[in-house]
Amino acid sequence: QVQLVESGGGSVQAGGSLRLSCTGSGFPFSNYYVGWFRQAPGKEREGVARIDPNSRDPYYRDSPKGRFTISRDNALNTLYLQMNTLTPEDTGMYYCAADPILKTIRNGGRGWTYWGQGTRVTVSS
């Protein structure tokens, strides 16, 4: 049974930090591209960052670039998103996703194979 389980969300004040985790099981996590996506209230889902199986060349959307860091630990089948200097605009549900081939994150994750259930991030001003 394939699972992606996110954790680490919560409520923080603007300027704060959170570290999200996503643990995969039931598929060869270390061979998959993995990414983070988010959906703000009333908005479409958008890509945040993506990382390849060997942690080379991580890719970020323009908005979080410089504030967020994506990383992975294949020995633990876990994906991370370190989020610093959070703003209220970062509020939303954060999802991890996995796919065996390289896919864009700029279309909101359409076509990605496996998804987690999400973890909520709320940033207050």
Side-chain angles (χ1 to χ4, degrees), residues 17-61:
S17 298
L18 284 173
R19 188 194 195 203
L20 306 184
S21 299
C22 168
T23 300
S25 60
F27 67 101
F29 181 90
S30 62
N31 294 339
Y32 275 55
Y33 294 84
V34 284
W36 286 101
F37 299 81
R38 67 185 181 187
Q39 187 165 21
K43 295 187 177 181
E44 293 186 351
R45 189 174 62 201
E46 64 177 6
V48 175
R50 178 193 67 213
I51 193 167
D52 71 276
N54 295 312
S55 298
R56 295 169 304 194
D57 194 26
Y59 177 80
Y60 299 89
R61 279 180 57 90

Side-chain angles (χ1 to χ4, degrees), residues 1-9 19-30 32-36 51 70-81 94-99 114-119:
Q1 179 184 359
V2 171
Q3 280 192 311
L4 286 169
V5 180
E6 300 97 335
S7 61
R19 188 194 195 203
L20 306 184
S21 299
C22 168
T23 300
S25 60
F27 67 101
F29 181 90
S30 62
Y32 275 55
Y33 294 84
V34 284
W36 286 101
I51 193 167
I70 188 171
S71 63
R72 66 190 294 167
D73 186 335
N74 287 337
L76 298 177
N77 284 357
T78 300
L79 171 70
Y80 303 100
L81 185 68
Y94 282 70
Y95 302 90
C96 64
D99 201 275
Y114 300 134
W115 288 87
Q117 82 291 346
T119 186

